[in-house]
Amino acid sequence: MSLRMDIGIDLGTASVLVYIKGKGIVINEPSVVAIDINTNKILEVGEEARKMLGRTPGNIVAIRPLRDGVISDFDITEKMLKYFIKKAVGNSLVKPRVIICVPSGVTEVEKRAVLEASNNAGAKKTYLIEEPVAAAIGAGLDITKPSGHMIIDMGGGTTDIAVISLGGIVVSRSIKVAGDKCDDAIVRHVRKKYNVMIGLRSAEELKIKIGTAFPIEEERFMEVRGRNLVTGLPVNLTISSSDSLEAMEETITTIADAVHSVLEKTPPELAADISEKGIVMTGGGCLIHGMDKLLEKRTGLKVTIAEDAVSCVAKGTGQSLEHMDVLKDALISEHIKTNYNVG
């Protein structure tokens, strides 16, 4: 029996999912860290830290160390990874091999930052896999054949769009417009239309419960609490789903434009495959009501939301671990070469 432990990590802007070979997904928590700035000590990580966002006293700050799919605070990311790796591995003395997925548009410097953070956090060796490839594997697509698959992974910080064939990316685009930008848009819209300031957590809740990317027949409503910008007093406000549609329109159009541009650059044979199979969507952002309908209308292609869309990237990362010997050359070794041969 092998003592070696393999871990797959979906290091997302909004949440971190950890997959252990043979066990499946063992951790799914927000990528938030709460720190006491006086002592520089970590107080909470994950769900408990998320509850503190926007609610902390002066000496405590709740940080999201990843922004738009990349590391914005290296030290905090390293500490967060250390916490999650330790939580996943437990008291095992064996250092795990770790594979982490990164957005398809990350630079060499950003790749190195992820590798260093993971290795410093206790990994024996770290590999990288591009997010659309991991998403496609997790969604159950057979990407090893000479046939085109189009995948859209809409997370918190980035939307990755890629056409994959023979285990590699043929055309791709990664934009820093996804779920978080929808939350920001809702906050701005409510402030502009109602003169009320709401928090990002409330905006996210609105997006999940009544948010829509496509006109719906039956209007839905939700009550939120905020602060009236004229009186400065707390106020309750009822927001409708058409408000959310209006608020997110620009953000969602940007994503649809990016999908269109990838389709324009796709070679004809692969475009024919995609026209036959349609597009597959993964990631938490694709669960916004009507997202699939909007893209169907825009592209004229069938759009399917993958089963268990939120976990697809983590699952795919983990499954690529289970077939590491087969996938090593196709998916991972290129990153390792570029990252360790720099300088």
Side-chain angles (χ1 to χ4, degrees):
M1 179 184 156
S2 170
L3 286 171
R4 190 177 69 200
M5 185 175 275
D6 291 335
I7 298 179
I9 299 177
D10 174 9
L11 190 62
T13 306
S15 55
V16 174
L17 283 82
V18 180
Y19 179 105
I20 292 185
K21 189 171 175 177
K23 289 185 185 173
I25 290 166
V26 292
I27 293 170
N28 179 359
E29 291 199 43
S31 31
V32 183
V33 180
I35 287 181
D36 184 327
I37 50 175
N38 294 341
T39 61
N40 207 22
K41 188 182 166 201
I42 287 186
L43 303 173
E44 295 289 353
V45 178
E47 185 54 50
E48 291 305 311
R50 190 183 81 92
K51 289 176 186 169
M52 297 181 182
L53 279 173
R55 290 181 169 148
T56 57
N59 65 313
I60 295 170
V61 58
I63 300 169
R64 292 177 70 176
L66 289 112
R67 203 76 203 146
D68 300 331
V70 293
I71 294 174
S72 60
D73 189 317
F74 183 83
D75 293 334
I76 305 294
T77 303
E78 193 179 300
K79 286 173 180 168
M80 183 175 77
L81 270 173
K82 194 175 252 175
Y83 170 86
F84 285 126
I85 289 173
K86 192 173 178 202
K87 189 173 177 181
V89 173
N91 296 321
S92 171
L93 297 172
V94 182
K95 281 188 167 189
R97 277 193 315 176
V98 175
I99 181 165
I100 299 177
C101 60
V102 291
S104 56
V106 296
T107 63
E108 294 303 318
V109 173
E110 288 162 348
K111 286 178 193 171
R112 281 193 82 160
V114 177
L115 284 163
E116 280 177 32
S118 173
N119 289 334
N120 293 347
K124 182 185 176 190
K125 190 163 187 183
T126 306
Y127 301 89
L128 300 181
I129 183 170
E130 287 185 299
E131 222 160 84
V133 176
I137 295 169
L141 304 179
D142 184 355
I143 60 166
T144 58
K145 293 191 167 59
S147 174
H149 294 278
M150 187 171 196
I151 190 108
I152 302 169
D153 179 54
M154 187 178 166
T158 59
T159 298
D160 281 84
I161 306 138
V163 174
I164 299 170
S165 177
L166 283 170
I169 292 174
V170 182
V171 191
S172 74
R173 184 148 180 223
S174 179
I175 56 168
K176 293 179 178 184
V177 178
D180 287 353
K181 288 284 191 284
C182 291
D183 300 343
D184 294 339
I186 290 169
V187 170
R188 282 198 309 273
H189 178 78
V190 172
R191 187 175 60 209
K192 191 176 170 187
K193 187 171 179 180
Y194 298 104
N195 238 350
V196 171
M197 190 70 188
I198 62 169
L200 281 170
R201 277 191 66 188
S202 300
E204 186 183 21
E205 210 176 317
L206 274 170
K207 175 187 75 181
I208 292 165
K209 289 188 177 168
I210 64 161
T212 183
F214 200 75
I216 52 174
E217 289 170 21
E218 198 178 321
E219 193 80 282
R220 290 178 295 177
F221 299 91
M222 181 179 151
E223 195 174 85
V224 287
R225 289 184 180 86
R227 177 167 50 85
N228 187 305
L229 291 170
V230 178
T231 65
L233 297 172
V235 64
N236 283 4
L237 183 68
T238 301
I239 304 288
S240 69
S241 47
S242 54
D243 272 326
S244 74
L245 178 63
E246 202 181 320
M248 297 190 294
E249 187 178 11
E250 193 183 327
T251 309
I252 282 157
T253 303
T254 305
I255 292 167
D257 289 344
V259 173
H260 195 185
S261 77
V262 170
L263 281 166
E264 280 180 336
K265 292 175 192 155
T266 303
E269 293 297 338
L270 296 178
D273 294 336
I274 293 160
S275 147
E276 187 188 320
K277 296 176 199 154
I279 300 169
V280 176
M281 288 194 84
T282 65
C286 77
L287 301 177
I288 294 172
H289 183 273
M291 197 72 209
D292 51 342
K293 288 195 188 116
L294 177 95
L295 289 174
E296 275 182 355
K297 187 183 176 193
R298 183 73 191 269
T299 62
L301 298 169
K302 181 175 159 230
V303 177
T304 311
I305 291 173
E307 197 179 323
D308 201 6
V310 177
S311 309
C312 277
V313 171
K315 269 193 199 156
T317 308
Q319 282 162 10
S320 66
L321 268 171
E322 289 175 11
H323 305 290
M324 208 166 208
D325 301 333
V326 181
L327 294 172
K328 208 174 218 174
D329 294 333
L331 304 176
I332 302 151
S333 59
E334 182 197 342
H335 291 314
I336 298 306
K337 282 174 199 157
T338 48
N339 278 288
Y340 285 113
N341 287 348
V342 174

